[in-house]
């Protein structure tokens, strides 16, 4: 098969971790006889510095014309501490999501047996936890009307959802639950927010079409609590944009390292695959960042193109590397840390030789 992949390394550690995922994809391509063409494109602070736009039109064109997008990370501290900055790297990510119609962000949370002790939670609480957060990604307060009053003493952000937007993400979440343990938790704040009440109403109306799925409804504050207390209780959680942003970061620490979790953003046009962590600027250029979340994102990318054996080969290699202790410093034991590039090389060799 011929694969055209847009590569958007972005900022901070983005280029280093994406390079490892590319090495892994290349090894897979050789092993399974595929031809991969990469097209690199600018995004984030790097794109602002070079062309003044965090998601340039050219990058959008490249994404639109590719089979999938492999994305690193965006964000630069020079913008974080400047609330008055006119353009921000994050706007690039939001523009990409909107323009590609990526209305769903899928974040699977699984534990790795060899790393259970890295979780801040007790072993008996996390062992066997396995769930997916489905986050709505192109609506809600992120994209609603926002502004500042003339005297600058008032600011507002509006949360808006239409039935159509809610239905399409719920459909996807129901179908995910159907392929898993058939349990869906709809997370909202229906006791306070009108948009949440529309979410709940819409989900309740759809239940009849998915009789085999057990649906429950949970307020987001309660969900935040239960996620830590009983992570094993969840199968698929679906929620609106900002709740999903918060819940999915919370969920990620359950497994022990933010550096392990991949994600897929899917919707109308080309899907985007990216680690859930940020640009980790303190580590940029040091060859120490954990590439596994990006490598597992590459596995999700392969899966999305129906290359299931290929995706499995990537996951097998990752599991072997974790068991063998070939890991970066965030999850290393006894000071035995490998470099980012060494982990990438190990995975590549494992794929070649197995
Ligand atoms: C994420 C990030 C982004 C978000 C930021 C960088 C805009 O936190 O992908 O979860 O809030 O969606
Ligand atoms: Mg986030």
């Amino acid at each position: 098969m011929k694969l055209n992949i847009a590569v958007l390394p972005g900022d901070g550690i983005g280029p280093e971790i994406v390079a490892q995922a590319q090495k892994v994809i290349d090894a897979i391509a050789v092993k399974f006889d595929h031809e991969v063409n990469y097209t690199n494109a600018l995004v984030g602070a790097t794109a602002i510095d070079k062309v003044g736009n965090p998601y340039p039109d050219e990058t959008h064109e490249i994404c639109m014309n590719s089979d999938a997008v492999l994305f690193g990370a965006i964000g630069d501290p020079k913008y974080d501490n400047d609330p008055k900055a006119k353009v921000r790297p994050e706007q690039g990510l939001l523009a990409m999501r909107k323009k590609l119609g990526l209305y769903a962000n899928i974040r699977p949370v699984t534990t790795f047996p060899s790393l259970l002790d890295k979780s801040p939670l007790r072993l008996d609480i996390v062992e066997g936890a396995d769930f997916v957060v489905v986050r709505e990604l192109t609506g809600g307060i992120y994209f609603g009307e926002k502004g500042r009053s003339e005297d600058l003493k008032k600011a507002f952000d509006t949360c808006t959802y239409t039935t159509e937007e809610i239905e399409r993400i719920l459909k996807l979440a129901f179908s995910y639950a159907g392929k898993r343990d058939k349990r869906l938790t709809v997370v909202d704040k229906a006791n306070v927010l009108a948009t949440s009440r529309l979410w709940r109403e819409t989900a309740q109306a759809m239940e009849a079409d998915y009789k085999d799925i057990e649906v429950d409804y949970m307020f987001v504050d309660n969900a935040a609590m239960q996620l830590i207390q009983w992570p094993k209780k969840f199968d698929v959680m679906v929620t609106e944009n900002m709740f999903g942003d918060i819940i999915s970061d919370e969920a990620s620490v359950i497994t022990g390292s933010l550096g392990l979790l991949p994600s897929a953003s899917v919707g109308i046009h080309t899907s985007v695959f990216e680690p859930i962590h940020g640009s980790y600027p303190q580590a940029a250029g040091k060859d120490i960042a954990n590439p596994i979340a990006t490598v597992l994102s590459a596995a999700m990318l392969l899966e999305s193109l129906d290359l299931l054996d290929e995706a499995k080969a990537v996951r097998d290699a990752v599991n072997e590397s974790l068991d063998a202790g070939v890991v970066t410093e965030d999850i290393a034991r006894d000071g035995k840390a490998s470099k980012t590039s060494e982990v990438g090389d190990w995975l590549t060799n494992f794929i070649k030789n197995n």
Side-chain angles (χ1 to χ4, degrees), residues 176-193:
Y176 251 85
K179 285 184 245 154
R180 295 176 45 101
D181 202 33
K182 303 197 165 30
R183 291 177 295 120
L184 179 66
T185 306
V186 180
V187 176
D188 63 27
K189 190 74 185 172
N191 49 347
V192 178
L193 302 178

Side-chain angles (χ1 to χ4, degrees), residues 286-327:
K286 294 190 182 153
D287 204 18
I288 57 170
N290 193 339
I292 296 298
T294 318
V295 170
L296 289 174
S297 300
M300 290 183 87
L301 182 158
L302 294 167
E303 238 159 34
S304 78
L305 301 173
D306 272 330
L307 302 173
L308 305 185
D309 292 340
E310 289 82 343
K312 183 172 179 302
V314 175
R315 289 184 207 287
D316 288 348
V318 166
N319 287 334
E320 290 292 332
S321 74
L322 296 175
D323 286 347
V326 183
V327 295

Side-chain angles (χ1 to χ4, degrees), residues 65-91:
N65 293 321
S66 301
D67 299 315
V69 179
L70 182 65
F71 191 96
I74 61 163
D76 187 307
K78 76 180 176 215
Y79 297 95
D80 292 347
N81 300 321
D82 177 10
K84 295 215 168 96
K86 289 241 153 43
V87 267
R88 318 183 64 80
E90 288 77 9
Q91 287 166 345

Side-chain angles (χ1 to χ4, degrees), residues 90 93-94 97 107 135 142 245:
E90 288 77 9
L93 186 58
L94 299 186
R97 289 172 180 170
R107 295 185 167 184
R135 167 189 176 191
Y142 273 57
D245 180 43

Side-chain angles (χ1 to χ4, degrees), residues 74-75 89-91 93-94 97 105 107 135 137 142 241-242 244-246 248-249 263 265 274-278:
I74 61 163
E90 288 77 9
Q91 287 166 345
L93 186 58
L94 299 186
R97 289 172 180 170
N105 182 227
R107 295 185 167 184
R135 167 189 176 191
L137 206 56
Y142 273 57
N241 204 343
M242 188 155 81
D245 180 43
I246 298 166
S248 60
D249 262 32
S263 86
S265 298
E274 59 172 314
I276 85 151
H277 58 70

Side-chain angles (χ1 to χ4, degrees), residues 103-121:
Y103 61 80
N105 182 227
I106 320 282
R107 295 185 167 184
V109 180
T110 41
T111 52
F112 298 90
S114 58
L115 295 175
L116 283 176
D117 61 317
K118 297 284 175 194
S119 171
L121 299 182

Side-chain angles (χ1 to χ4, degrees), residues 80-326:
D80 292 347
N81 300 321
D82 177 10
K84 295 215 168 96
K86 289 241 153 43
V87 267
R88 318 183 64 80
E90 288 77 9
Q91 287 166 345
L93 186 58
L94 299 186
M96 179 181 77
R97 289 172 180 170
K98 199 66 174 180
K99 286 184 152 181
L100 291 176
L102 304 172
Y103 61 80
N105 182 227
I106 320 282
R107 295 185 167 184
V109 180
T110 41
T111 52
F112 298 90
S114 58
L115 295 175
L116 283 176
D117 61 317
K118 297 284 175 194
S119 171
L121 299 182
R122 271 202 332 262
L123 187 100
D124 60 303
I125 294 181
V126 283
E127 196 170 21
D130 181 353
F131 59 93
V132 179
V133 179
V134 178
R135 167 189 176 191
E136 202 291 327
L137 206 56
T138 51
I141 200 164
Y142 273 57
F143 291 95
E145 201 189 327
K146 48 187 86 232
R148 256 328 245 278
S149 64
E150 242 166 64
D151 66 2
L152 302 180
K153 292 196 169 145
K154 198 167 104 184
F156 64 94
D157 298 279
T158 322
C159 184
T160 315
Y161 271 108
T162 63
T163 306
E164 206 182 7
E165 284 174 310
I166 301 168
E167 268 171 0
R168 67 180 179 187
I169 180 97
L170 285 175
K171 229 177 177 173
L172 198 133
F174 270 109
S175 92
Y176 251 85
K179 285 184 245 154
R180 295 176 45 101
D181 202 33
K182 303 197 165 30
R183 291 177 295 120
L184 179 66
T185 306
V186 180
V187 176
D188 63 27
K189 190 74 185 172
N191 49 347
V192 178
L193 302 178
T195 40
S196 281
R197 286 194 280 275
L198 184 59
W199 270 74
R200 204 171 268 222
E201 207 178 287
T202 309
Q204 281 167 347
M206 288 170 75
E207 278 187 43
D209 297 335
Y210 299 91
K211 290 219 164 56
D212 57 330
I213 313 282
E214 190 190 311
V215 186
D216 73 318
Y217 298 86
M218 210 177 268
F219 297 142
V220 62
D221 47 349
N222 185 20
M225 181 273 281
Q226 296 212 29
L227 199 55
I228 293 297
Q229 196 135 31
W230 300 292
K232 280 185 257 192
K233 138 181 205 168
F234 295 99
D235 181 27
V236 177
M237 303 174 90
V238 62
T239 191
E240 62 103 76
N241 204 343
M242 188 155 81
F243 296 162
D245 180 43
I246 298 166
I247 286 280
S248 60
D249 262 32
E250 186 193 4
S252 71
V253 295
I254 294 172
T255 66
S257 174
L258 196 59
L260 295 171
L261 294 189
S263 86
S265 298
V266 305
I268 298 167
H269 302 293
T270 321
S271 301
V272 174
F273 299 84
E274 59 172 314
I276 85 151
H277 58 70
S279 60
Y280 192 14
Q282 307 86 324
K286 294 190 182 153
D287 204 18
I288 57 170
N290 193 339
I292 296 298
T294 318
V295 170
L296 289 174
S297 300
M300 290 183 87
L301 182 158
L302 294 167
E303 238 159 34
S304 78
L305 301 173
D306 272 330
L307 302 173
L308 305 185
D309 292 340
E310 289 82 343
K312 183 172 179 302
V314 175
R315 289 184 207 287
D316 288 348
V318 166
N319 287 334
E320 290 292 332
S321 74
L322 296 175
D323 286 347
V326 183

